[in-house]
Amino acid sequence: MYIVTGGAGFIGSAMVWKLNQMGIDDILVVDNLSTSEKWNNLVGLKYQDYLHRDQFLKFILEGEDPFETEAVVHMGACSSTTELDADFLMENNYRYTQYVCRFCMGHDARFINASSAATYGNGEFGFDDDEDGIGRLRPLNMYGYSKQLFDLWAKEAGLLDQIVCLKFFNVFGPNEYHKDDMKSVICKAHAQILETGKLKLFKSYREEYPHGGQKRDFVYIKDCVDIMAWFLENRDKGGIFNVGTGTARTWNDLANAVFSAMNREPEIEYIPMPEVIRDKYQYFTQANMDKLKAAGCTVKMTSLEDGAMDYVQNYLDKDDRYLRSR
């Protein structure tokens, strides 16, 4: 059994889709559907069963493995960078991940975990996935800190050669529609342009960056799951790895890519950035991808323009916007 936690979420459901593309449907989806719209991400995907996250935790804490687990792709977490409940993030993102990791180590199962580029903070120490340097990183929010804590724990426990922690940068693509304010700007931009004909971007508050000139490493979801599939097939590879394109692009680049995919002329309005996030705003992120390449991963990363084109024209513009296997 392949277990995907957060399997109804954005990256998790895309990974279920990828496993289906690989001919695998012996999959257990673990999540907390509650009253969200995440269930839509599972429609049309092939998997054997679903378990609530609490029930799955009960199994692993009791040391049981009724699943004959081959691998756990642990994408389950609260990914909100504005979540203020630190105790919740400690339990949900940090402690829960420890439990799942120990379960995998005790049952010789592959463990692939979602870390985050939020661990890099403002980037003052760069964006190198060097395991010796993770202790000096200073995340800007509690979400990033909760991810940093597990990376540090795994390092201290001597597990990084056996497991994989992936630092995802700005991921966009199908199946993110339930994420409300945490949806990618491409997803938000498409809806905004359809409604108003223009796109609003935050003003810059640093002289070295013009309005819309703030930079991010935007990575397409299909590349992310290709990389995770590679790690499933190469169990001898372990450690902390960045998942990005290796190229920082501006918000203006992103806006132009979306307008182009929608066959419209760009019209951008720059608006004030909310004061609550100004001091914690990342003006630049760019994944150093050398380590992943050195490990032998040959996944070719999709450009911002090509990713936006596929996402907009093959999903956002369609009545059925989801990744489907059937």
Side-chain angles (χ1 to χ4, degrees):
M1 184 79 73
Y2 287 79
I3 300 173
V4 182
T5 70
F10 176 29
I11 301 178
S13 63
M15 190 61 203
V16 175
W17 171 81
K18 179 61 181 181
L19 289 170
N20 289 172
Q21 307 307 303
M22 298 164 66
I24 299 169
D25 60 12
D26 193 13
I27 302 167
L28 173 68
V29 171
V30 176
D31 212 307
N32 176 21
L33 293 177
S34 187
T35 58
S36 74
E37 293 297 313
K38 287 191 292 185
W39 63 270
N40 285 295
N41 290 339
L42 296 175
V43 176
L45 300 182
K46 300 175 184 178
Y47 59 98
Q48 294 298 317
D49 209 347
Y50 166 86
L51 267 183
H52 188 276
R53 62 181 302 281
D54 293 344
Q55 185 62 39
F56 178 64
L57 180 62
K58 182 175 181 292
F59 275 122
I60 63 177
L61 288 180
E62 292 174 352
E64 300 179 30
D65 184 18
F67 322 107
E68 298 183 12
T69 306
E70 174 72 19
V72 176
V73 180
H74 183 52
M75 300 292 108
C78 171
S79 60
S80 173
T81 57
T82 58
E83 175 60 56
L84 298 178
D85 189 337
D87 287 326
F88 166 69
L89 290 171
M90 281 289 195
E91 288 300 317
N92 190 70
N93 290 7
Y94 171 55
R95 194 73 63 195
Y96 196 104
T97 306
Q98 282 185 317
Y99 295 144
V100 179
C101 181
R102 288 192 181 107
F103 167 78
C104 289
M105 296 300 95
H107 294 89
D108 192 30
R110 184 62 154 156
F111 181 66
I112 298 177
N113 175 57
S115 183
S116 173
T119 58
Y120 289 117
N122 64 11
E124 62 182 319
F125 298 110
F127 298 93
D128 296 331
D129 44 9
D130 173 17
E131 292 155 18
D132 291 334
I134 60 175
R136 65 182 180 180
L137 301 180
R138 297 293 181 266
L140 295 176
N141 52 58
M142 183 57 205
Y143 161 72
Y145 182 54
S146 70
K147 292 296 187 178
Q148 169 79 341
L149 280 176
F150 180 79
D151 291 346
L152 289 168
W153 175 81
K155 181 177 183 293
E156 291 301 315
L159 297 175
L160 289 180
D161 61 338
Q162 304 172 58
I163 68 174
V164 176
C165 293
L166 300 176
K167 294 197 175 193
F168 294 103
F169 279 65
N170 282 64
V171 185
F172 68 94
N175 289 25
E176 62 171 316
Y177 317 115
H178 64 283
K179 291 172 66 69
D180 297 324
D181 194 49
M182 297 306 297
K183 291 194 292 280
S184 73
V185 173
I186 288 185
C187 187
K188 293 178 182 178
H190 181 265
Q192 195 176 123
I193 293 167
L194 282 179
E195 182 179 353
T196 68
K198 62 183 179 181
L199 175 61
K200 295 180 180 180
L201 295 177
F202 287 142
K203 292 180 177 179
S204 171
Y205 292 84
R206 288 171 56 174
E207 291 183 359
E208 63 268 37
Y209 293 93
H211 296 325
Q214 308 96 316
K215 291 184 175 182
R216 291 284 193 282
D217 193 330
F218 301 104
V219 57
Y220 198 32
I221 184 64
K222 292 182 180 180
D223 297 339
C224 296
V225 297
D226 282 349
I227 288 170
M228 289 194 285
W230 184 85
F231 276 111
L232 286 176
E233 294 173 339
N234 292 269
R235 288 191 57 159
D236 60 318
K237 307 298 182 181
I240 296 174
F241 295 89
N242 285 334
V243 179
T245 64
T247 302
R249 303 294 301 277
T250 68
W251 290 112
N252 289 327
D253 290 336
L254 180 144
N256 290 328
V258 176
F259 277 110
S260 177
M262 296 177 70
N263 296 310
R264 297 186 181 220
E265 288 298 317
E267 185 175 346
I268 304 171
E269 176 186 350
Y270 301 104
I271 63 173
M273 185 185 298
E275 290 189 13
V276 69
I277 66 171
R278 286 185 194 178
D279 293 339
K280 300 180 179 180
Y281 186 81
Q282 290 178 306
Y283 275 76
F284 179 89
T285 66
Q286 179 173 280
N288 183 335
M289 299 298 289
D290 291 345
K291 185 177 175 183
L292 186 64
K293 293 175 183 176
C297 183
T298 57
V299 173
K300 187 176 184 299
M301 306 309 289
T302 305
S303 70
L304 174 59
E305 286 75 14
D306 288 345
M309 187 72 71
D310 182 56
Y311 187 19
V312 169
Q313 296 189 354
N314 294 321
Y315 298 94
L316 293 175
D317 279 347
K318 303 292 185 181
D319 290 334
D320 186 357
R321 305 175 298 171
Y322 295 86
L323 293 164
R324 305 295 194 198
S325 295
R326 293 188 175 122

